[in-house]
Amino acid sequence: MRKILVIILLCTGAWFLMSCQEQSEAESSSTAETTAAVTVTEEQTVTTAAATTEKTAETSAPTTTETYQIAENMYMFIDLQSVRASKCTAKMTNHNAVQKPYTYAYRILNAETGEECRILSNYDPEEDDRDASEIHWINPEEKRTLQYDWEDRYGELEDGTYILELILDRTTVYPEDGGEGTVVPVVVRAKFEVESSDFVPHIYIAPEDVQPTGVVLTIENSPDAGRSYAFAYRLYDESAKPRKELLKVFDKETRLTMNNYVKAGETLMLELNWRDLYGNLLEGKYSIEMEMLADGEKEGKTYHADFEIK
């Protein structure tokens, strides 16, 4: 009887262990399936988010890089004889069959980089805003002459190639694949070169033309215009710190001989003598400053030449 009870207990224990093992395996399988399902769900979520972000980026990215639009049938060129380091004259023609608007707003661009020239730090853009807001009109086949002076905005430009860009109007440009439009200026452009040798006289004193009592001043006039010497010059001591004005001379001899005009592209030599007014100069560095008036201008410009007494 005792043996039978032992056998029964052993069978019951074995059955209980088998049930626990099956339940444990079932729970492990269920947990594994649940974890796998969660992992798949997370991967799907990440993929969807990435796709959404990529799609949004594609939609938001502009499909056009236009920052301006060239006007049709509008023509502008620069009067090359008018070009100076700080100004020029442009002429514009409307070849459209209808009247067209334009403003006085403009920019000077570097032709190599396409970027606007550096604006002076003390420049007040209020005038630019007013020029951009005022609308003017040009009739079909009408020609307009426009004067530009940018000395206050850019100063004097260095020698090089530039683009004058005149803003005529503004228009809205829409991307090819749809979306919001961008307002861009409608412009007309003309290229020009600043080459100072074309409009700035070369004034110098050769070493062999230097004496303690006077010098010979050589004026190689530029080809743009004739110029008149204003009969007066100033003598400076450049060795002094700061430099010192020694004489301001009214050139009576040049006035009597009327030897004060130099034609475009020609050379004038002026003999300047201060022996009776000042005497001999000592060794040192000196300079001559004088004014010349170009044909058609109302104000003269100052020119400078250095020399040395050894």
Side-chain angles (χ1 to χ4, degrees):
M1 184 67 181
R2 183 176 297 175
K3 290 182 179 179
I4 293 173
L5 288 174
V6 170
I7 292 172
I8 291 172
L9 289 173
L10 288 173
C11 289
T12 302
W15 177 82
F16 179 79
L17 289 173
M18 289 178 63
S19 298
C20 290
Q21 183 176 0
E22 287 177 359
Q23 183 176 359
S24 175
E25 289 176 355
E27 288 177 355
S28 299
S29 177
S30 176
T31 303
E33 289 177 359
T34 304
T35 304
V38 170
T39 302
V40 171
T41 303
E42 288 177 349
E43 288 176 354
Q44 289 175 344
T45 303
V46 171
T47 303
T48 303
T52 303
T53 303
E54 184 177 355
K55 185 176 181 181
T56 303
E58 289 178 354
T59 304
S60 302
T63 57
T64 177
T65 57
E66 288 186 86
T67 57
Y68 65 89
Q69 188 176 92
I70 298 295
E72 295 183 358
N73 301 319
M74 295 292 292
Y75 178 71
M76 183 170 69
F77 72 93
I78 306 297
D79 179 1
L80 299 182
Q81 297 297 321
S82 72
V83 174
R84 299 291 183 272
S86 61
K87 61 183 179 179
C88 74
T89 299
K91 297 184 178 181
M92 181 175 63
T93 306
N94 176 18
H95 289 307
N96 289 279
V98 296
Q99 191 181 51
K100 287 292 182 178
Y102 70 95
T103 73
Y104 286 148
Y106 75 96
R107 300 190 304 166
I108 302 295
L109 310 175
N110 185 303
E112 293 185 2
T113 64
E115 297 180 355
E116 184 175 9
C117 296
R118 181 179 60 86
I119 297 176
L120 300 179
S121 58
N122 60 348
Y123 178 70
D124 185 357
E126 182 178 346
E127 185 176 348
D128 292 345
D129 296 338
R130 184 170 61 253
D131 288 342
S133 62
E134 293 182 359
I135 304 298
H136 307 269
W137 295 90
I138 180 169
N139 294 320
E141 300 307 323
E142 183 181 358
K143 297 179 181 179
R144 289 288 173 89
T145 299
L146 304 170
Q147 305 287 344
Y148 293 96
D149 187 335
W150 53 79
E151 186 170 6
D152 291 342
R153 186 194 296 186
Y154 303 114
E156 291 197 351
L157 302 180
E158 297 179 355
D159 286 6
T161 304
Y162 299 90
I163 296 172
L164 170 64
E165 180 184 84
L166 176 63
I167 298 177
L168 305 179
D169 199 3
R170 296 186 181 275
T171 188
T172 303
V173 176
Y174 293 93
E176 295 179 357
D177 57 352
E180 295 184 1
T182 303
V183 177
V184 299
V186 179
V187 305
V188 61
R189 290 179 162 189
K191 187 177 291 187
F192 66 96
E193 291 187 10
V194 173
E195 189 173 346
S196 58
S197 61
D198 287 342
F199 52 82
V200 176
H202 182 206
I203 296 182
Y204 64 93
I205 300 170
E208 61 270 20
D209 293 331
V210 174
Q211 298 293 332
T213 56
V215 298
V216 176
L217 182 69
T218 302
I219 303 171
E220 293 180 350
N221 194 20
S222 52
D224 65 321
R227 286 178 169 83
S228 300
Y229 166 47
F231 299 121
Y233 66 89
R234 295 179 295 276
L235 174 64
Y236 289 93
D237 182 357
E238 296 291 349
S239 300
K241 301 297 179 184
R243 71 172 184 162
K244 181 181 179 182
E245 182 180 303
L246 301 178
L247 283 174
K248 185 174 183 179
V249 182
F250 181 75
D251 191 353
K252 296 179 181 179
E253 184 177 348
T254 301
R255 182 172 184 179
L256 289 173
T257 60
M258 296 304 294
N259 183 30
N260 71 314
Y261 184 76
V262 54
K263 295 181 180 179
E266 294 190 358
T267 299
L268 174 67
M269 302 181 75
L270 295 173
E271 293 186 11
L272 307 179
N273 191 299
W274 50 79
R275 179 180 53 199
D276 296 335
L277 296 172
Y278 188 83
N280 291 4
L281 294 179
L282 301 176
E283 291 185 1
K285 295 182 179 180
Y286 300 88
S287 67
I288 294 291
E289 280 191 0
M290 54 175 286
E291 280 75 39
M292 295 191 72
L293 180 65
D295 294 346
E297 294 186 353
K298 296 181 179 180
E299 295 184 3
K301 291 185 178 180
T302 299
Y303 298 94
H304 180 98
D306 295 304
F307 66 96
E308 185 174 359
I309 302 293
K310 297 181 179 180

